Amino acid sequence: MSTQATMRAIVAHGYGPPTGLTLAEVPIPEPGPGRIRVRIAATALNPADLNTLGGAFGDLVPLAFPHVPGSDFAGTVTDVGAGVTRFAPGDEVFGVALPRAAVGMAAMLADPPSLTTGTAAEYAVFEADSPALAPRPAGLSAERAAALPIVGLTALAVLRAGRFRAGDRVLVIGATGGVGSAVLPLLAEAGVHVIATAGAVDAGWVRGLGAGEVVDHHAVDTVADVARRYPASLHGVVNLALPGDALTGHPALIRPGGRLLNIAFPAPDPADFADRDITVETVYGAARPGDLDALAAHALAGTLPDPIGARYTLADGVRAYVALREEHTRGKIVVTIDD
């Protein structure tokens, strides 16, 4: 009688905080038709992982337990299912995918949807034909590639929705996080004057990413301070961190016809700003064909600097998720899948 091979993975046994996660042995997933199996080299953690594990998306993403979290990844294809022609065993790949229970949300991420068995594991299975997966180019490390997809795709979505031009002034709230590490450099490359919120300890970090000015939101009221500098003249506000109900004062900073763009949860209700001549939109990092290739090129060229703020091994993966929730981190937390 044969025994199914197992692997190590970070596992949730029910909804709750990351302190309830465990490192466990689970069966190695098999790739079905149209899917590939990847030996994971690195995975990057996302705040959305915590919301999903906590049950915040329970109606949209009803998880089946035990559940392996993780979306961003880089690794090596080890096996392919029937009908797969895009990848072959030995190919180095990277990308992002959502839990199989999140098929509705995954359809917003990519077409066809990008789904996975969970990347906080030694092996994971993915849909082969999604534009949210791509070959990892030589010269781009697995850690760096794993930290790129969600933040990079979200940054591209912000730039597309904002349609900002050289000389525009844009306030970025929550600039020290992972998405900020991509939004700031891409805005700066476009010639946008970026005003970023960050504590004093992180001011140099965000200036290095491309911020022209920094507002210490711990020391001053952000809205009052920016209004003093630029009264009702910003072309846009990009919210990467605050809940929607904390944005009531920020539209006063935006000039008529400007934009309030949001990626944070819970999102602001556009109806709350109906009296303002601005566009209010929550944007999602949908992957278009070629987007990951473009992001990799930006990383190799140095336009997108290395955003990794902390590194853990899979053996310490639970601690990594706890740190994501409880500690202040710059950029991205990456977990390497140690042998």
Side-chain angles (χ1 to χ4, degrees):
M1 180 176 177
S2 62
T3 302
Q4 185 173 1
T6 62
M7 65 178 183
R8 294 176 304 152
I10 303 300
V11 176
H13 299 280
Y15 291 114
T19 50
L21 295 170
T22 62
L23 180 65
E25 291 282 334
V26 298
I28 296 176
E30 296 293 332
R35 296 172 178 169
I36 60 174
R37 182 170 63 202
V38 174
R39 175 60 162 94
I40 304 297
T43 183
L45 277 53
N46 295 292
D49 297 343
L50 301 181
N51 289 329
T52 301
L53 291 169
F57 302 143
D59 292 339
L60 293 174
V61 190
L63 299 180
F65 298 101
H67 167 73
V68 177
S71 298
D72 281 323
F73 79 97
T76 307
V77 177
T78 61
D79 198 5
V80 301
V84 173
T85 58
R86 186 184 178 199
F87 298 113
D91 287 350
E92 297 293 332
V93 295
F94 78 110
V96 58
L98 298 184
R100 297 208 178 280
V103 63
M105 295 177 67
M108 295 188 292
L109 173 67
D111 183 18
S114 187
L115 300 167
T116 183
T117 52
T119 62
E122 292 180 307
Y123 292 89
V125 165
F126 304 89
E127 311 299 318
D129 290 335
S130 172
L133 273 64
R136 175 167 66 89
L140 187 65
S141 72
E143 291 183 18
R144 182 72 180 85
L148 192 60
I150 279 285
V151 299
L153 293 172
T154 304
L156 290 179
V158 167
L159 267 70
R160 286 167 177 158
R163 300 197 291 275
F164 301 121
R165 298 177 295 181
D168 285 358
R169 292 181 296 273
V170 174
L171 171 66
V172 179
I173 302 167
T176 58
V179 177
S181 69
V183 166
L184 265 61
L186 292 181
L187 285 173
E189 183 188 38
V192 173
H193 180 76
V194 177
I195 307 138
T197 68
V201 69
D202 295 317
W205 165 267
V206 297
R207 286 188 184 277
L209 292 172
E213 298 180 67
V214 180
V215 177
D216 184 351
H217 60 291
H218 298 301
V220 300
D221 179 274
T222 298
V223 173
D225 190 66
V226 176
R228 175 182 57 80
R229 305 185 198 191
Y230 303 106
S233 64
L234 297 186
H235 296 81
V237 171
V238 176
N239 177 48
L240 309 180
L242 296 179
D245 59 7
L247 296 172
T248 54
H250 294 79
L253 302 172
I254 305 172
R255 64 193 296 165
R259 289 174 169 78
L260 171 59
L261 303 179
N262 172 71
I263 73 161
F265 176 84
D269 184 349
D272 292 340
F273 309 96
D275 61 332
R276 309 286 308 190
D277 181 18
I278 62 172
T279 298
V280 179
E281 181 180 357
T282 293
V283 299
Y284 303 94
R288 301 179 182 181
D291 276 355
L292 288 179
D293 300 316
L295 291 171
H298 277 302
L300 289 171
T303 307
L304 289 176
D306 188 342
I308 301 173
R311 292 173 169 83
Y312 294 82
T313 64
L314 184 61
D316 287 328
V318 173
R319 190 158 61 91
Y321 273 103
V322 172
L324 178 64
R325 189 182 79 156
E326 298 182 357
E327 299 177 13
H328 171 70
T329 56
R330 292 176 178 171
K332 297 292 292 182
I333 295 176
V334 167
V335 173
T336 57
I337 313 304
D338 47 315
D339 294 323

